Amino acid sequence: MYQQLHSIRHRGDDWDGYGSKRPNTLSLAYAEHLLNQLLVSVISNSRPWIDPFITSDEDGHITTEWYSGERELHFIIREQEAVYIKVWGTNIENEMHVDILGMENYLSVWDWLLDAR
């Protein structure tokens, strides 16, 4: 996880050849903090950890992806906030949920992902 964050840190503008912005420094710092908090919370509550796929998007935000069975969990991490997306099918209206990620819901979001195992 930390190696992925480190390699993303060195991307410049247009890193993908499609004009994407370089990863925002504050978003990277917040991503590292948030993911570390999630890891500590998961492990200290005796839940299994799954390493995420981490990258940056076209706006310079940090994105993470986890997969467990038919479920997907995505984070979009900005400078001072993160949004999570739960996906359990292809229908945007009925099989996806988007909300703000905060310390108060780390474990419930994580438990939702693992429930598919």
Side-chain angles (χ1 to χ4, degrees):
M1 174 173 79
Y2 298 108
Q3 180 60 34
Q4 288 182 73
L5 286 168
H6 179 73
S7 65
I8 291 168
R9 191 174 311 277
H10 299 289
R11 290 180 176 171
D13 284 328
D14 196 31
W15 60 269
D16 59 356
Y18 294 100
S20 293
K21 295 178 183 176
R22 84 173 109 227
N24 180 295
T25 304
L26 294 175
S27 294
L28 273 163
Y30 187 57
E32 188 169 349
H33 170 75
L34 185 142
L35 292 171
N36 191 56
Q37 292 284 0
L38 176 63
L39 175 63
V40 167
S41 181
V42 165
I43 291 173
S44 66
N45 284 281
S46 303
R47 293 349 189 248
W49 176 254
I50 302 169
D51 281 328
F53 173 74
I54 304 171
T55 191
S56 57
D57 68 12
E58 65 276 359
D59 296 318
H61 304 132
I62 308 306
T63 63
T64 63
E65 301 172 9
W66 288 270
Y67 299 90
S68 180
E70 296 293 317
R71 295 183 181 195
E72 302 174 17
L73 178 61
H74 303 262
F75 292 174
I76 301 169
I77 305 168
R78 299 181 182 108
E79 294 177 5
Q80 296 181 3
E81 74 170 1
V83 172
Y84 70 85
I85 305 166
K86 295 178 181 178
V87 180
W88 59 94
T90 58
N91 185 305
I92 277 181
E93 299 290 324
N94 301 319
E95 298 173 318
M96 296 181 190
H97 176 77
V98 179
D99 206 345
I100 300 295
L101 181 68
M103 289 184 62
E104 70 282 351
N105 61 3
Y106 282 171
L107 280 180
S108 65
V109 169
W110 191 256
D111 287 344
W112 173 86
L113 175 69
L114 295 181
D115 192 42
R117 298 181 119 196

